[in-house]
Amino acid sequence: MHTTPTQAVVLAGGQGSRLRPYTDDRPKPMVEIPGTGTPIIGHQLSWLAAEGVTDAVVSCGHLAEVLQEWLESADLPLKVTTVVETEPLGRGGGLKHAAARLPAPDQPWYATNGDIWTRFSLREMAAFHAERDALATLALARPRIPWGAVETDTFGHITDFIESPPSPFLINAGVYVFSAAFTELLPDLGDHERTTFPRLARERRLAGFPLPQGAYWRAIDTAKDLTEAAKELALQRG
């Protein structure tokens, strides 16, 4: 019987330079989706809680005190601890630093990037991870390409125009399930996506969980992403 994680790390230390001026006075995960009155990290924490997570460690960096103040004053559905990187550790080092504060080091855990806004079953992803005996599982998204695509026939005639088609490639969706043994494979300093992940892929211990059909997923990188997310939310509510 596999254990569904009840603990998670949220990586919330990014600069968010492409989201200026929103990020001039707050870290990226503290930016609000217009019309919701809740920052991105608030949506994330309620999603994690709804999926059975009872303890979250939030890794802060840029403007950490703004995030910490909000977390202290907010009515949160789970227990949250914060860790602050005093010097940049890189993505892998930051993850390892935060994981050291998880309440159950011998149990599996989720991790998510603080600028991802998504909804799907983490429990299903954890079961998928366990079935494959993976050390790490990445959620995989197929984002829409922001441009219109053009289809042509072999002769070079245009046959069709497709508005914002789905990408032919799957991408790392920024949500993970990690086995307890994964933590010690993380670098103390540097990027695990260039070291730990490729090594696990060669050993066939890295799994990829495609997001279920119709699952909502968006990375909030630019002001345009905020506008689009607000529109999509209004449609869902309508």
Side-chain angles (χ1 to χ4, degrees):
M1 178 65 194
H2 79 91
T3 312
T4 302
T6 58
Q7 50 186 3
V9 167
V10 179
L11 294 172
Q15 293 277 344
S17 46
R18 287 194 295 160
L19 258 176
R20 289 202 172 116
Y22 295 102
T23 49
D24 285 346
D25 61 352
R26 70 196 61 191
K28 197 174 174 186
M30 278 301 299
V31 172
E32 286 182 13
I33 308 279
T36 69
T38 306
I40 300 163
I41 193 162
H43 292 282
Q44 280 199 334
L45 292 171
S46 44
W47 172 52
L48 289 170
E51 290 291 327
V53 174
T54 55
D55 291 84
V57 178
V58 177
S59 174
C60 316
H62 174 63
L63 297 171
E65 62 288 350
V66 179
L67 183 50
Q68 286 173 318
E69 273 174 32
W70 183 81
L71 289 167
E72 277 164 25
S73 65
D75 183 16
L76 299 172
L78 72 181
K79 183 172 182 282
V80 175
T81 312
T82 57
V83 295
V84 182
E85 286 180 38
T86 42
E87 72 254 19
L89 300 170
R91 289 192 294 182
L95 202 51
K96 192 174 195 173
H97 180 61
R101 298 293 299 277
L102 289 168
D106 58 338
Q107 296 293 320
W109 49 290
Y110 296 119
T112 176
N113 296 345
D115 57 357
I116 300 295
W117 195 33
T118 186
R119 283 288 183 279
F120 64 91
S121 171
L122 281 174
R123 289 181 177 93
E124 274 176 31
M125 186 177 167
F128 178 97
H129 169 81
E131 276 163 20
R132 279 144 193 84
D133 194 27
L135 277 169
T137 297
L138 286 60
L140 303 175
R142 200 181 286 281
R144 291 200 166 272
I145 296 171
W147 308 281
V150 177
E151 282 191 350
T152 60
D153 63 18
T154 48
F155 192 64
H157 289 122
I158 288 176
T159 56
D160 205 0
F161 294 92
I162 304 163
E163 199 53 53
S164 294
S167 161
F169 298 104
L170 289 163
I171 65 156
N172 176 352
V175 179
Y176 312 90
V177 183
F178 296 135
S179 295
F182 173 78
T183 314
E184 62 201 41
L185 304 178
L186 283 164
D188 293 322
L189 197 65
D191 189 350
H192 61 297
E193 295 192 11
R194 301 215 168 124
T195 52
T196 317
F197 280 177
R199 189 181 124 196
L200 289 179
R202 287 192 297 274
E203 294 170 2
R204 296 290 183 272
R205 302 296 304 278
L206 189 66
F209 175 77
L211 292 193
Q213 191 70 33
Y216 184 84
W217 181 88
R218 183 174 281 281
I220 309 288
D221 280 323
T222 62
K224 186 170 183 278
D225 291 322
L226 277 177
T227 317
E228 294 290 320
K231 266 192 223 157
E232 286 157 355
L233 195 70
L235 283 172
Q236 284 173 17
R237 287 175 174 173

